[in-house]
Amino acid sequence: MPVSLLDSRVPAVLLRIDRNPFHHGTLGAVRSLGRAGVDVHVVADCAGSPVRRSRFVTELHPPPPPGASRRDIAATLLRVARRVARPAVLIPMDDASAVAVGHLREELTPGYLLPRQPGPLAESVADKAELAGLCARTGIAHPVTLVPDSAAEAAAAAWRLGMPVVAKWSRPWLVPAGTGLRSTVIVRSAQQAQTLYRRSAEAGSRLLFQAFLPPGPDRDWFFHGYADRSGAVRAGGPGRKLRAQPRGAGLTAVGQWMPNPRVQELAERLAGELGYRGIFDLDLRREGAAGRYHLLDFNPRPGAQFRLFTDASGLDVVRALHLDLTQRPLPDPAPRPGRTFVAENYAPLTALGTRPGGRELAWHARDDPAPGIALWALWSRHVAARLLDRAPGTATVPRLPRPARPPDTRNPLPDDVRPVCDARPPADDEKASTC
């Protein structure tokens, strides 16, 4: 994309409250805007992250602490606004940030440029329990969801849905670090369901159970888009998840831009029905032979692999947001289906190959090599620490008990899928919600 298309006089501020040093989506946004000549300020904990090494970072700013109140988040952003000293495009990079900014919109303007989102919509779509209701009202397929009010109801809900079932905390951004709790768990017994429910106060939100939709080839999809000020979905597109971390239940390690009119129509209809404005990221799973696409997650922010959908003109959802909020025209779409995204720390062998449709690496880039170089030293230490943590004689998160009865044969768990709670996945995973 020609640099002149973006108004380089308007800086961008990226906000991430989640303390994840390996969040490659933040680096993607830094590079996307920095390459277009935009000053990029990052409000995040980047002390141990390769992101801080990017030559496209204009300035790093301390983030609000984990669990910060909206007042604290507003104070942090207003302090950054005074430092930047001119209106900036504000881009939340995680759910906690998106929810907070949705509530603080009036307080943050005119220091920041933000989409005109109706009410606290970001919080409604990010909340897993509320999303189920939104899908029911808009006619979007969604896994059958039950929200228990007691431990006994949790056990009954699990048996009613048929084991295994998917358990989710409705507001995963509230789950505190260091507790061993995961945003999503595959549950195989009524006892597991009760054990999880009893930790609801610790998790900070309601526990819900969803019918398990088995993974399989060509079943896991995502959609990244930007709904402009008129409501039209621009940039982005549908993608197929080829490899996930953890397997079958996590972030996209390898993904491919694939035309899919049904996913495209679903995304456009949902954004239109809700009146959504801004960047969004959907996770979907196709249901077996019936072929219906069920919406699993609606993330009101850029997905970590959004740079997969960089079209032939250089447009992606982050650039689309900047163009739209600065009253600049968006170029006509020029899709590049077949393009592949690889998070090389999760799929190093795939990163070594070439792809006929083109490829986007999460960390390595010829025009910005330092983050990719820094990644491997940091990642090696990270993996070594995780292995040491799991070694015999060290403290581990207790495993939930195996079921007393075999899984329901009507909906068996594939051999290559294991409960997310049976091991300690890396804490740096963006999420583990696509179960």
Side-chain angles (χ1 to χ4, degrees), residues 48-394:
S49 172
V51 174
R52 70 179 292 114
R53 306 294 183 89
S54 175
R55 72 183 185 89
F56 296 112
V57 172
T58 301
E59 189 173 354
L60 293 168
H61 303 268
S69 67
R70 288 179 194 154
R71 178 178 298 178
D72 290 336
I73 295 170
T76 297
L77 289 173
L78 292 174
R79 183 171 62 250
V80 172
R82 290 192 293 271
R83 172 75 174 174
V84 175
R86 47 193 165 138
V89 172
L90 178 59
I91 308 175
M93 297 301 301
D94 59 9
D95 288 345
S97 301
V99 170
V101 169
H103 284 279
L104 295 170
R105 188 182 188 283
E106 297 302 321
E107 189 171 349
L108 295 176
T109 55
Y112 293 100
L113 305 180
L114 292 163
R116 290 195 171 276
Q117 194 74 269
L121 183 56
E123 185 171 25
S124 297
V125 298
D127 186 302
K128 312 304 180 187
E130 291 191 38
L131 180 63
L134 290 175
C135 287
R137 291 194 292 274
T138 56
I140 300 294
H142 186 271
V144 177
T145 300
L146 300 176
V147 184
D149 288 325
S150 67
E153 285 189 18
W159 283 121
R160 177 180 170 186
L161 292 172
M163 248 78 74
V165 297
V166 178
K168 295 182 178 181
W169 300 110
S170 64
R171 300 188 173 195
W173 62 91
L174 297 179
V175 175
T179 61
L181 292 172
R182 299 291 294 167
S183 62
T184 299
V185 176
I186 298 177
V187 167
R188 292 185 172 187
S189 74
Q191 185 177 354
Q192 287 182 0
Q194 291 178 317
T195 300
L196 276 176
Y197 182 85
R198 293 188 181 105
R199 300 188 71 180
S200 296
E202 187 180 356
S205 66
R206 295 178 292 175
L207 180 67
L208 57 90
F209 294 94
Q210 290 182 345
F212 178 80
L213 302 178
D218 197 35
R219 289 191 181 181
D220 286 327
W221 290 75
F222 48 87
F223 184 93
H224 293 199
Y226 172 69
D228 67 16
R229 56 183 180 272
S230 72
V233 175
R234 310 289 298 273
R240 185 175 62 180
K241 189 177 292 191
L242 304 181
R243 187 178 303 174
Q245 175 62 36
R247 175 187 264 183
L251 61 80
T252 300
V254 183
Q256 189 173 38
W257 189 345
M258 294 287 288
N260 190 322
R262 293 172 64 188
V263 171
Q264 183 85 33
E265 187 275 335
L266 183 152
E268 292 176 352
R269 180 160 65 90
L270 181 60
E273 291 272 358
L274 298 178
Y276 188 87
R277 300 291 185 272
I279 299 173
F280 63 98
D281 163 29
L282 309 180
D283 283 323
L284 308 103
R285 178 163 287 175
R286 185 171 58 83
E287 182 186 19
R292 287 199 307 166
Y293 288 87
H294 290 249
L295 180 65
L296 303 181
D297 283 308
F298 188 129
N299 304 302
R301 50 161 174 81
Q305 72 273 23
F306 79 91
R307 286 288 296 166
L308 168 64
F309 302 106
T310 305
D311 72 9
S313 71
L315 186 69
D316 59 37
V317 294
V318 166
R319 289 185 176 187
L321 170 73
H322 194 281
L323 286 167
D324 192 43
L325 294 184
T326 57
Q327 311 298 313
R328 295 268 178 136
L330 275 67
D332 294 331
R336 291 195 285 173
R339 197 161 185 266
T340 303
F341 177 90
V342 183
E344 53 268 48
N345 49 326
Y346 295 112
L349 296 181
T350 305
L352 294 175
T354 58
R355 296 281 173 164
R359 186 185 62 178
E360 178 86 16
L361 296 177
W363 297 101
H364 291 78
R366 291 183 179 179
D367 64 342
D368 189 29
I373 295 170
L375 167 71
W376 292 115
L378 292 167
W379 187 252
S380 297
R381 291 199 296 270
H382 168 74
V383 172
R386 299 298 293 175
L387 291 174
L388 181 62
D389 190 41
R390 296 180 188 181
T394 59

Side-chain angles (χ1 to χ4, degrees), residues 14-20 26 41-47 51-52 60-64:
L14 310 182
L15 171 65
R16 200 185 75 242
I17 297 174
D18 174 39
R19 300 297 175 100
N20 180 357
T26 302
H41 295 257
V42 180
V43 185
D45 181 8
C46 293
V51 174
R52 70 179 292 114
L60 293 168
H61 303 268

